[in-house]
Amino acid sequence: MAEQARYEELIRQFSAFGAVKREMGRMMPSECPAGSAAVLTLLGRYGDMRMSRLSELLAVDMSVTSRHVAHVAERGWIERSPDPADKRSRILRLTPAGRSLLDQLSRRTCQMLAERMSDWSDDEVAQLTALMARLRASFDDTRSHDTRTHGPEPRPPAPPVLEQTTRTPAITQ
Amino acid sequence: MAEQARYEELIRQFSAFGAVKREMGRMMPSECPAGSAAVLTLLGRYGDMRMSRLSELLAVDMSVTSRHVAHVAERGWIERSPDPADKRSRILRLTPAGRSLLDQLSRRTCQMLAERMSDWSDDEVAQLTALMARLRASFDDTRSHDTRTHGPEPRPPAPPVLEQTTRTPAITQ
DNA sequence: TATTGTTATACTCTATAACTATA
DNA sequence: TATAGTTATAGAGTATAACAATA
C-alpha cells in the first residue's frame, strides 16, 4: 500500500504517457490508424474470433469495435464470414493482405521502439511490460469498484478479459 | 537491447493501457474532463506559467492547450493575467476555486488508485512510476528520430520538457 | 520577420441509444 | 425476452492552418 504522493506521481505519468502514444500514432500509415492496427494485432495474436470477443480484448464498446472492424474490412485486411453456429454472429479473420500489413506495422513499430529505447536493457523492457500488464489486470478484475461521478452503470459485470500475464497465453477462443 | 518479441509485448500493453485511462476518465466530474484536469494539475505542481510552457508540459500543440485553458478559465478555475514582460503572453494562475477543485480531484483519483492497486506494494508503485517516467524521457530526448510516414515535420526541435525523474524537481519556471 | 496565442476546421476515438436480425 | 451486431449521434482530444497582436 502506497502513500498519496506515490499515486500522484503515478497519475502524472499516466497523463504524460499520452505523448508517447501520440508519437507512436504519428508513424502509422494514414490508411491504418491506431484503432485499425489494434484490430489487426489482436486477430494476428489470438486468431479468428467474433465481434464480441474482440470487443472484450479491445476493452471498448462493441459499437466502437464495429466501426474499427468495418474500416479494416473495407480495405480488405480482414474478412467477415457468417458464423454457422449463430447466424447473428460473424467470424473475423485476417486476410493475407491483412497479415502482410500487420507484419509490416509490427516491424516498423518495433524498430521505432528499439531506437527510442536503445539504452534500455532487455530486462528493463520486460519489467515495464509486466508492470503495465499487472496494472491492467488490477483494473480488469474486481469490476465491483465504482467511484464514478456521473452516468449510469456503463457495462454489465463484464466477462473477464484473459491474458493478464506478459506471456502469450493459450488460445481460449 | 531487447528482442522484437519483447517490444511486441510492450506495444500490446501500450494499447491495452487505454482501458485504464478510460476507466479513470469515467470518474472525472463531467464539467472537468481529463484535459482540464491536466491543466489544473500542472499549474498546481509547477506554479504560474505561460501558455507556451504549459504546452510543453502537456506535450500537445498550443492550439490544444489554448482550448483546454479556455475551458478551465470560463469556469473560474484559473486566471489569465497579462504578462508585463511580454504583451503577447498571458500568465496562467490557479484561483482558489481551482486549487480547491484540484485538491478534490487529486484525493478522488488517488483513492481510486489505492483501491484498484490495493495489492501493490509501495515499491512496486514506485517502480512503475519510474519506468513510465523513463519511457517518456526516452521519447522526449533525441527529437532526432523520425520514422514517420505521413505529414510534414510536426514540431520544431521542441525545447526539452523538464522533469524526467520520478521526483518533484525544482521549479524551473 | 519571428513569436505568442487564438480560432476554424477536420479527423480519430469513444459512448449511448435506437434499431435489425437472430436465439 | 435476450443477445449479436450495426448505425446515428454526440462529445472529448488532437493537429494543421490561417490569423491577430506584439517582439
Side-chain angles (χ1 to χ4, degrees), chain A residues 8-9 28 106 149-150 166, chain B residues 8-9 28 106 108 150 166:
Chain A
E8 284 178 356
E9 294 284 348
M28 299 298 296
S106 185
T149 306
H150 57 288
T166 307
Chain B
E8 284 178 356
E9 294 284 347
M28 299 297 295
S106 185
R108 186 185 299 174
H150 57 286
T166 306

Side-chain angles (χ1 to χ4, degrees), chain A residues 38-160:
Chain A
V39 168
L40 300 181
T41 301
L42 289 170
L43 283 176
R45 177 161 187 156
Y46 296 105
D48 306 358
M49 66 181 80
R50 309 198 309 172
M51 291 287 310
S52 52
R53 171 146 160 79
L54 182 56
S55 255
E56 281 176 23
L57 291 171
L58 289 171
V60 297
D61 190 89
M62 190 150 57
S63 64
V64 177
T65 307
S66 185
R67 278 184 41 142
H68 290 326
V69 162
H71 185 268
V72 297
E74 279 161 17
R75 282 155 185 79
W77 298 328
I78 71 169
E79 275 180 359
R80 289 182 280 192
S81 44
D83 182 345
D86 184 339
K87 286 179 184 164
R88 295 170 304 180
S89 284
R90 300 213 258 178
I91 303 290
L92 311 176
R93 183 177 54 247
L94 276 183
T95 60
R99 166 67 65 181
S100 157
L101 174 59
L102 174 57
D103 290 346
Q104 179 193 324
L105 290 179
S106 185
R107 273 197 309 276
R108 186 186 299 173
T109 50
C110 286
Q111 186 196 332
M112 185 219 200
L113 274 189
E115 284 174 22
R116 293 306 218 284
M117 305 177 77
S118 57
D119 59 337
W120 288 57
S121 73
D122 180 85
D123 190 56
E124 288 166 334
V125 174
Q127 259 184 53
L128 176 57
T129 305
L131 286 170
M132 289 186 76
R134 184 169 168 208
L135 177 70
R136 186 160 60 95
S138 292
F139 274 72
D140 272 344
D141 327 315
T142 51
R143 182 52 75 220
S144 50
H145 306 285
D146 199 330
T147 331
R148 272 173 298 93
T149 306
H150 57 288
E153 194 67 28
R155 317 188 240 175

Side-chain angles (χ1 to χ4, degrees), chain B residues 51-95:
Chain B
M51 290 287 310
S52 52
R53 172 148 159 78
L54 182 55
S55 256
E56 282 176 23
L57 290 171
L58 289 171
V60 297
D61 191 88
M62 190 149 56
S63 64
V64 177
T65 306
S66 185
R67 277 182 41 142
H68 290 325
V69 163
H71 185 267
V72 297
E74 280 161 16
R75 282 156 185 77
W77 299 328
I78 71 169
E79 276 180 358
R80 289 182 281 193
S81 44
D83 182 346
D86 184 340
K87 286 179 185 165
R88 295 171 302 180
S89 285
R90 300 212 258 178
I91 303 289
L92 311 177
R93 182 177 52 249
L94 275 183
T95 61

Side-chain angles (χ1 to χ4, degrees), chain B:
Chain B
M1 191 59 141
E3 289 169 19
Q4 166 125 354
R6 283 273 193 246
Y7 294 123
E8 284 178 356
E9 294 284 347
L10 185 55
I11 289 166
R12 172 80 189 91
Q13 295 309 322
F14 284 0
S15 178
F17 183 68
V20 172
K21 288 294 280 286
R22 287 192 294 281
E23 185 73 14
M24 297 203 63
R26 272 189 273 273
M27 40 153 297
M28 299 297 295
S30 47
E31 273 294 275
C32 182
S36 300
V39 167
L40 299 181
T41 301
L42 290 169
L43 284 175
R45 177 161 187 157
Y46 297 103
D48 305 358
M49 65 181 81
R50 309 197 310 170
M51 290 287 310
S52 52
R53 172 148 159 78
L54 182 55
S55 256
E56 282 176 23
L57 290 171
L58 289 171
V60 297
D61 191 88
M62 190 149 56
S63 64
V64 177
T65 306
S66 185
R67 277 182 41 142
H68 290 325
V69 163
H71 185 267
V72 297
E74 280 161 16
R75 282 156 185 77
W77 299 328
I78 71 169
E79 276 180 358
R80 289 182 281 193
S81 44
D83 182 346
D86 184 340
K87 286 179 185 165
R88 295 171 302 180
S89 285
R90 300 212 258 178
I91 303 289
L92 311 177
R93 182 177 52 249
L94 275 183
T95 61
R99 166 67 65 182
S100 156
L101 174 60
L102 174 57
D103 290 344
Q104 178 192 325
L105 290 178
S106 185
R107 273 196 309 275
R108 186 185 299 174
T109 50
C110 286
Q111 187 197 331
M112 184 218 201
L113 274 189
E115 284 174 21
R116 293 306 218 282
M117 304 177 76
S118 57
D119 59 336
W120 288 57
S121 73
D122 181 86
D123 190 55
E124 288 165 333
V125 174
Q127 261 184 50
L128 175 58
T129 305
L131 287 169
M132 289 187 75
R134 184 167 169 212
L135 178 71
R136 186 160 60 95
S138 292
F139 274 72
D140 272 344
D141 316 323
T142 53
R143 182 52 73 223
S144 49
H145 307 284
D146 201 329
T147 332
R148 272 174 296 92
T149 307
H150 57 286
E153 194 66 28
R155 318 188 240 177
V161 176
L162 305 173
E163 197 257 329
Q164 300 182 342
T165 69
T166 306
R167 287 295 166 205
T168 309
I171 310 289
T172 338
Q173 212 245 311

